[in-house]
Amino acid sequence: QVQLVESGGGPVKAGDSLRLSCSASRLTFSKSTLGWFRQAPGKERQFVASISWEGGKTRYGESVEGRFTISRDNAINTLYLQMNTLKREDTAVYYCAARQGSDVRTSWSEYQWWGQGTQVTVSS
């Protein structure tokens, strides 16, 4: 069974930076498109970023473009999300997701595997 485990979340101040990690096991990591999504209380799950299996293609949600950077290290089966200039509205549970295939999709319904999530709380 595929397992995705997020880490790196926590409480931070507005303007701070944070890096999330997602470790994958039992996944053909190098042939999977990976993504980050987030969900705030009372809101729908929102696309944050996705990256192709070789890392050459990335896509970002409009609200994080220019502040967040997605990357991956296929040698250690790990996905990252570097978050800079954090805002209060970035507060959410952040989920790592994976899908078979090479397309960098933005819809959560197109991802087959999910982590349990890590909480990011940004205060002013």
Side-chain angles (χ1 to χ4, degrees):
Q1 184 175 345
V2 172
Q3 190 171 26
L4 302 174
V5 180
E6 302 95 337
S7 62
V12 293
K13 296 283 190 181
D16 284 353
S17 297
L18 201 60
R19 189 176 80 158
L20 305 182
S21 299
C22 173
S23 178
S25 58
R26 304 186 192 92
L27 174 73
T28 308
F29 192 85
S30 61
K31 294 298 184 184
S32 300
T33 296
L34 305 173
W36 288 99
F37 292 79
R38 67 186 184 186
Q39 189 165 20
K43 295 189 177 181
E44 293 186 355
R45 192 163 295 192
Q46 180 186 42
F47 169 73
V48 176
S50 61
I51 187 168
S52 60
W53 60 32
E54 84 287 355
K57 297 180 183 178
T58 57
R59 291 186 69 176
Y60 293 93
E62 190 175 313
S63 61
V64 306
E65 180 89 52
R67 297 188 297 122
F68 291 11
T69 302
I70 188 171
S71 62
R72 62 191 294 167
D73 187 338
N74 289 348
I76 58 172
N77 291 359
T78 302
L79 174 70
Y80 302 102
L81 183 68
Q82 177 66 42
M83 305 186 293
N84 298 329
T85 319
L86 282 160
K87 304 176 181 179
R88 288 188 64 184
E89 50 264 43
D90 295 318
T91 295
V93 176
Y94 283 72
Y95 296 93
C96 167
R99 63 179 300 274
Q100 290 182 327
S102 59
D103 295 337
V104 283
R105 302 293 176 87
T106 63
S107 172
W108 65 266
S109 63
E110 298 191 80
Y111 287 77
Q112 291 102 337
W113 301 287
W114 292 84
Q116 293 300 305
T118 185
Q119 176 72 46
V120 173
T121 304
V122 185
S123 61
S124 58

